Amino acid sequence: MLPFAEYGKHVLHISAQSVSRRVVPVLAEADNTVALRTQAALNLNGVMTGTTTTTATCPFSVSLRDTLRIFQTQTNPANGLLTRSGQPGSGTFERYDAETLQPSLSVSGRFTLDPRKEELDGDSFPLPTGLRIIARPGDFLMGQLFQRPLGPLESVPCWSGRQTEMLSLTLPAGRRLERMPKPLEIDKDSLINGNGIRYNSEWRQDGKVVSVTRSFSTHVTTALCGPALRAELASSLDQIRADLNRKVTIAEP
């Protein structure tokens, strides 16, 4: 496996007999996955506590390993991670190995978010992503989803892969879910030159536990996705961006 930036690049093969130009093959979807699972609980003081596990394979595991190496040089990296993601609080990662080279890498941690009692009184809020290290479903593989808008003639690096997040929240006693967000399904799997995306989000409630599972997969045949493909996907990516911001509201019985 290689870092993301190496796939699709032109390379020279040089020997005593010849010099030839070749291309590093692009990624296959099955060889590039990341999954995040966060399980949280909200108490009657407005405090959320929970656990997060991230598991990545191949190039995503390279990115995860690089980040964990940076964490090893920092004091309380989990706290900074929560603050940067708009979830101020405290957290700790379990012991992890950022040096052993394996096709798959997993890291877990625990977190406690600062009290937000307004969420008990009717303010809507997203389910917490907790100690999220890698981009969310829909972000990164087909370009940055939340950063500056690209110009109409710009191309973006793109890769095949699959991103999944499973978020759940246990409601406190004496509170109920007021409204379940709507699911979303997008299937644009055969666009220009066979490139495409699939996205699915599904909400559920099991007793006091509210959960959402989101998945995003891409199939691309090139290392750069150009303006025509971006235009084909623009409305779908807008829908995904909105879906990642879906909120829930809780109320008294």
Side-chain angles (χ1 to χ4, degrees):
M1 61 184 177
L2 298 168
F4 278 105
E6 303 304 321
Y7 289 91
K9 279 189 173 179
H10 291 259
V11 296
L12 290 178
H13 282 201
I14 303 174
S15 70
Q17 290 75 35
S18 66
V19 176
S20 60
R21 189 177 77 169
R22 301 183 184 178
V23 179
V24 179
V26 296
L27 269 166
E29 177 185 329
D31 294 335
N32 184 35
T33 67
V34 62
L36 174 139
R37 184 178 185 88
T38 292
Q39 297 172 293
L42 176 65
N43 67 24
L44 287 174
N45 294 318
V47 175
M48 285 188 191
T49 58
T51 62
T52 298
T53 299
T54 300
T55 303
T57 66
C58 294
F60 269 125
S61 72
V62 175
S63 299
L64 180 58
R65 185 176 288 109
D66 288 345
T67 302
L68 294 178
R69 288 192 180 116
I70 295 173
F71 284 174
Q72 289 175 335
T73 68
Q74 298 176 344
T75 302
N76 298 325
N79 294 8
L81 190 67
L82 291 168
T83 299
R84 288 192 297 275
S85 63
Q87 307 170 104
S90 60
T92 57
F93 286 107
E94 296 178 359
R95 183 180 178 85
Y96 52 81
D97 181 2
E99 301 304 326
T100 301
L101 299 180
Q102 298 289 341
S104 177
L105 179 65
S106 182
V107 60
S108 298
R110 297 182 176 276
F111 63 89
T112 299
L113 303 187
D114 292 347
R116 292 183 289 190
K117 295 199 71 171
E118 63 273 12
E119 295 174 353
L120 297 171
D121 298 327
D123 278 11
S124 59
F125 59 93
L127 297 192
T129 55
L131 296 170
R132 179 180 59 81
I133 301 173
I134 295 181
R136 301 184 69 185
D139 195 11
F140 179 70
L141 288 176
M142 294 296 289
Q144 302 299 321
L145 196 63
F146 296 100
Q147 295 187 5
R148 67 172 180 86
L150 293 171
L153 300 181
E154 289 187 76
S155 298
V156 296
C158 53
W159 301 271
S160 294
R162 181 177 177 85
Q163 301 164 294
T164 306
E165 72 175 20
M166 296 155 283
L167 313 177
S168 69
L169 178 68
T170 301
L171 303 180
R175 293 294 189 277
R176 61 176 176 83
L177 182 68
E178 193 170 75
R179 181 178 55 84
M180 181 78 73
K182 294 181 179 180
L184 176 63
E185 184 169 358
I186 296 171
D187 188 348
K188 291 199 170 182
D189 198 30
S190 185
L191 299 176
I192 299 171
N193 296 326
N195 299 294
I197 65 172
R198 297 184 302 276
Y199 180 85
N200 179 268
S201 69
E202 183 177 358
W203 289 82
R204 294 184 178 179
Q205 182 171 9
D206 183 8
K208 285 289 186 180
V209 180
V210 179
S211 64
V212 60
T213 300
R214 297 183 174 101
S215 65
F216 178 76
S217 59
T218 56
H219 175 76
V220 298
T221 59
T222 176
L224 282 176
C225 291
L229 180 60
R230 286 185 43 235
E232 289 270 9
L233 295 175
S235 62
S236 295
L237 294 176
D238 285 343
Q239 287 180 277
I240 293 171
R241 187 184 300 107
D243 188 75
L244 293 177
N245 290 321
R246 291 278 183 264
K247 297 180 180 181
V248 298
T249 303
I250 62 176
E252 296 181 0

